[in-house]
């Protein structure tokens, strides 16, 4: 059985663990700064496994030694923004957490593939890549899969069709400047731009951009975790089973799309070696400009993070 360690046994971490074990993809180690949280959720998940007849195990701990020899490390550890906390405060705190989690896990799992979930996503993915010193293809941010799932859901709802027939592509940074690409979003191969009027497509793109905030607004406390957890599990599956799915993920483009020195959402092929290939597709001028703007914002935030950490 493969091994996946998830740093941060919060809502997203535990939900990812649930989907991973349910599909018997890997044994899971849940690790948290509050070890009893990890232990409690692991016990609960194990007891669910007993009912569902799953063979994958879950173990909760505060000890990084137990993450050794992981095939995949998922980093969800972080704090949410609280009232009175500036964006800079949040950036600094989460950067310190992600740096620590990356440094502590890489020691025991030098050949792992990392999936980063903590926000601000693209900046934290870049930091994890820098801290671990791994090749770019082994450090991947989870955002595009989630944002695309949101776009997929909204398209399906708008057209009253099964979301199983809808594929969607959302590129760029995970934030206000994400870049949904309707031309490459289809209902069973038919671009949505052929199926819906322009203003409706634009409205669905806007709702996708605000997809996280919409859920935060409804929940009142906390943020989304089912779809983020499922997004992590989908990426884990594509990697461990070497499915080579083409998915939007945050990666260091190393020159692809004219971008470098950032991490940003691009279509990649996810297989056993990680983000094995960045797939270059033709973008229209306006899409290219939106992607460049998005990358510029991430680049700025990376600079800010470096200052805050120095
Ligand atoms: N080491 C390990 N775990 C940590 C650390 C640390 N240094 N700091 C915080 N944690 C843990 C918390 O104890 C908590 O259990 O990370 C977990 C975060 O869980 P939640 O607050 O429930 O957040 P969640 O909804 O799971 O979201 C995880 O993803 O959406 C992003 O940036 C967002 O921080 C959020 C992350």
């Amino acid at each position: 059985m493969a091994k996946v360690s998830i740093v941060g046994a919060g809502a997203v971490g535990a939900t990812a663990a649930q989907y991973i074990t349910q599909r018997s993809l890997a044994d899971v180690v849940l690790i948290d700064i509050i070890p009893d949280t990890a232990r409690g959720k692991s016990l609960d998940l194990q007891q669910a496994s007993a009912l569902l007849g799953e063979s994958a195990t879950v173990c909760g701990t505060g000890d990084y030694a137990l993450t050794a020899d992981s095939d995949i490390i998922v980093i969800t550890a972080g704090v949410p923004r609280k009232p009175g906390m500036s964006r800079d405060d949040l950036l600094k705190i989460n950067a310190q957490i992600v740096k620590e989690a990356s440094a502590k896990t890489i020691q025991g799992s030098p050949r792992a593939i990392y999936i980063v979930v903590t926000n601000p996503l693209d900046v934290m993915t870049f930091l994890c890549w820098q801290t671990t010193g791994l090749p770019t293809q082994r450090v991947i941010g989870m955002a595009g899969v989630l944002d695309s799932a949101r776009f997929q859901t909204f398209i399906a709802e708008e057209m009253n069709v099964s979301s199983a027939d809808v594929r969607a592509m959302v590129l760029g940074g995970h934030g206000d400047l994400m870049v949904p690409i309707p031309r490459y979003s289809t209902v069973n191969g038919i671009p949505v731009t052929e199926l819906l009027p322009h203003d409706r497509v634009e409205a669905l793109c806007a709702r996708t951009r605000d997809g996280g905030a919409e859920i935060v607004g409804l929940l009142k406390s906390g943020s989304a975790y089912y779809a983020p957890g499922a997004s992590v599990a989908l990426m884990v599956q594509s990697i461990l089973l070497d499915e080579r799915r083409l998915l939007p993920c945050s990666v260091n483009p190393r020159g692809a799309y004219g971008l470098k020195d950032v991490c940003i959402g691009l279509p990649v092929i996810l297989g056993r070696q990680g983000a094995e290939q960045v797939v270059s597709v033709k973008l229209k001028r306006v899409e290219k400009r939106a992607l460049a703007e998005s990358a510029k914002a991430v680049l700025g935030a990376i600079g800010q993070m470096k200052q805050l950490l120095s």
Side-chain angles (χ1 to χ4, degrees), residues 167-301:
R167 311 309 314 160
M169 188 56 72
V170 179
L171 305 180
H174 183 54
D176 301 339
L177 293 179
M178 74 176 70
V179 188
I181 312 278
R183 289 187 310 120
Y184 292 144
S185 302
T186 73
V187 182
N188 232 341
I190 310 164
V192 288
T193 46
E194 302 288 320
L195 297 166
L196 289 170
H198 180 72
D199 61 330
R200 288 312 305 153
V201 172
E202 284 303 302
L204 301 183
C205 290
R207 193 174 174 198
T208 301
R209 256 179 230 115
D210 294 335
E214 182 178 355
I215 291 174
V216 168
L218 291 167
L219 293 181
K220 314 295 186 241
S221 76
S223 49
Y225 52 93
Y226 290 116
S231 301
V232 169
L234 184 105
M235 290 169 68
V236 164
Q237 178 168 329
S238 189
I239 293 168
L240 292 180
L241 303 189
D242 200 19
E243 290 180 324
R244 298 180 57 76
R245 295 199 58 183
L246 191 158
L247 299 165
C249 299
S250 184
V251 289
N252 186 328
R254 289 199 304 171
Y257 293 85
L259 303 169
K260 53 181 184 177
D261 302 327
V262 286
C263 284
I264 191 132
L266 295 174
V268 303
I269 293 176
L270 267 195
R272 197 60 190 84
Q273 300 308 316
E276 296 182 6
Q277 190 190 332
V278 176
V279 177
S280 289
V281 291
K282 264 206 184 127
L283 293 180
K284 288 194 165 165
R285 196 178 306 158
V286 55
E287 294 161 346
K288 245 190 237 168
R289 202 179 313 134
L291 190 62
E293 278 294 307
S294 195
K296 202 169 130 192
V298 176
L299 201 61

Side-chain angles (χ1 to χ4, degrees), residues 148-149 151-157 159-168 186-189 245:
S148 300
F151 195 21
Q152 244 169 277
T153 308
F154 300 147
I155 292 167
E157 190 183 85
M159 295 202 49
N160 194 20
V161 297
S162 163
S163 60
D165 280 340
V166 183
R167 311 309 314 160
T186 73
V187 182
N188 232 341
R245 295 199 58 183

Side-chain angles (χ1 to χ4, degrees), residues 69-91:
D69 300 320
S70 294
D71 296 279
I72 297 182
I73 308 272
V74 180
I75 300 184
T76 75
V79 297
R81 192 159 159 205
K82 298 186 189 97
M85 195 190 267
S86 72
R87 276 183 194 276
D88 272 4
D89 294 337
L90 181 76
L91 179 62

Side-chain angles (χ1 to χ4, degrees), residues 7-14 31-34 37 41 64 75-80 90 94 96-98 100-101 117-121 124 174 222-225 228:
V7 189
V12 177
I31 176 163
D32 202 280
I33 193 139
I34 308 170
T37 299
K41 291 194 181 181
Y64 275 92
I75 300 184
T76 75
V79 297
L90 181 76
N94 279 356
Q96 283 164 338
I97 293 172
V98 168
E100 178 192 306
V117 180
T118 308
N119 279 320
L121 189 274
M124 294 303 134
H174 183 54
S223 49
Y225 52 93

